[in-house]
Amino acid sequence: MADHVIPASASQRGRKHLLVREYVRSLIVDAEPGSPAPSERDLVEQFGVARMTVRHALDGLVAQGLLERIPGRGTFVTKPLIDMQMRLSSFSEEMERRGKIPESRTLLARRETAGPGLARALETEVGAPIVHWERLRLADSQPICIQHVYLSLDTFPRFLDDALPSSLYYWFADQDLMPTWGEDSVVAAVATEEEAEALELEPGAPVLHISRRSFCRETAVEVTRSIYRADRYTLWVPVLRPEHLR
């Protein structure tokens, strides 16, 4: 490993771990998943810092999903996570924005009737006809999530009569009902056996359940319930401080 010169400014208390962290990040950015990270002992000797400082630096990269610790084996480079911003866009749009190729496989598409929860969410009557469309969503041929879409057949009466769209949001645009606002909720969960098989996970592996209700102006156009692989997906939520607290 090449010698590394520590700038004097990095010797300030509380800043050394940042220097170590960014150095390790530069080493692993193009590394193959599964490659070992630099050892704590090597980093301690190279930077002349305490082992706790090195551990703090590596903890930051683990928290960011760039490294993973495997008990009894060491610390390794992880598969890159898909960073998804919380905004009103489709899965296909988000994947294309990150240079990945989106793909969908329909698992189910049928007419059902709305129970109380879906009826409220879609602003229709209990027992009203709805579409239930279940898809496996992939990025670069890797399974990312299982997505359940629910639509009101009163709003979209011919949805099941035609070929299913490759992108639901592009289809909404063709209907002049592109979602303009919505609301998401996120819950941590574990994969069922069926979900794990579809997502290529072990049963009981962590997943994220993300529910969305979207509107075009005042019309409720969709309810989606998605199960995302927690090991391939990170949720980015920008936050602002309220004006009255500034």
Side-chain angles (χ1 to χ4, degrees):
M1 189 176 291
D3 291 338
H4 189 83
V5 178
I6 304 176
S9 61
S11 64
Q12 297 174 2
R13 184 178 180 181
R15 301 289 295 178
K16 290 182 179 180
H17 78 278
L18 297 178
L19 181 64
V20 178
R21 186 189 69 190
E22 294 311 306
Y23 172 70
V24 175
R25 187 198 301 275
S26 72
L27 293 182
I28 67 174
V29 65
D30 294 320
E32 290 293 321
S35 301
S39 72
E40 291 185 9
R41 176 180 297 179
D42 287 345
L43 292 169
V44 166
E45 294 178 354
Q46 182 175 347
F47 285 86
V49 295
R51 182 175 289 272
M52 186 61 68
T53 299
V54 169
R55 175 60 63 93
H56 189 186
L58 296 180
D59 283 346
L61 297 173
V62 170
Q64 293 172 24
L66 300 176
L67 295 177
E68 64 175 335
R69 289 195 174 95
I70 301 178
R73 293 184 55 197
T75 305
F76 301 88
V77 177
T78 62
K79 293 180 179 179
L81 291 173
I82 292 176
D83 142 14
M84 187 83 85
Q85 184 176 349
M86 290 290 278
R87 61 183 191 175
L88 194 57
S89 57
S90 70
F91 179 88
S92 296
E93 289 169 334
E94 287 293 332
M95 295 305 104
E96 289 169 355
R97 193 162 64 88
R98 283 161 176 75
K100 297 183 179 295
I101 300 173
E103 182 185 348
S104 294
R105 298 175 188 167
T106 292
L107 305 177
L108 177 152
R110 69 188 181 196
R111 176 190 175 112
E112 296 181 357
T113 55
L118 279 173
R120 284 194 301 272
L122 289 171
E123 299 183 348
T124 189
E125 300 293 329
V126 173
I130 61 171
V131 171
H132 178 190
W133 185 19
E134 180 184 358
R135 291 178 291 174
L136 179 64
R137 314 305 302 269
L138 305 97
D140 290 345
S141 300
Q142 298 298 310
I144 301 298
C145 79
I146 301 167
Q147 187 176 71
H148 298 264
V149 176
Y150 301 92
L151 309 173
S152 169
L153 277 170
D154 291 335
T155 306
F156 305 110
R158 296 187 54 81
F159 186 83
L160 291 174
D161 295 341
D162 302 319
L164 296 172
S166 58
S167 169
L168 182 60
Y169 273 41
Y170 294 156
W171 185 85
F172 281 147
D174 290 340
Q175 312 306 307
D176 197 28
L177 283 172
M178 174 65 83
T180 53
W181 66 282
E183 51 195 17
D184 287 3
S185 64
V186 184
V187 177
V190 295
T192 65
E193 288 189 11
E194 183 179 358
E195 292 165 353
E197 182 178 359
L199 293 172
E200 299 179 6
L201 294 170
E202 292 295 323
V207 292
L208 290 175
H209 285 195
I210 302 181
S211 298
R212 168 173 292 181
R213 185 165 70 140
S214 300
F215 296 79
C216 177
R217 296 174 290 275
E218 300 305 318
T219 301
V221 294
E222 67 160 339
V223 170
T224 62
R225 295 172 180 169
S226 304
I227 303 99
Y228 279 85
R229 289 182 57 147
D231 65 338
R232 298 295 310 280
Y233 176 87
T234 183
L235 199 61
W236 179 49
V237 184
V239 293
L240 295 174
R241 187 170 175 81
E243 289 285 347
H244 71 279
L245 294 179
R246 292 180 183 174

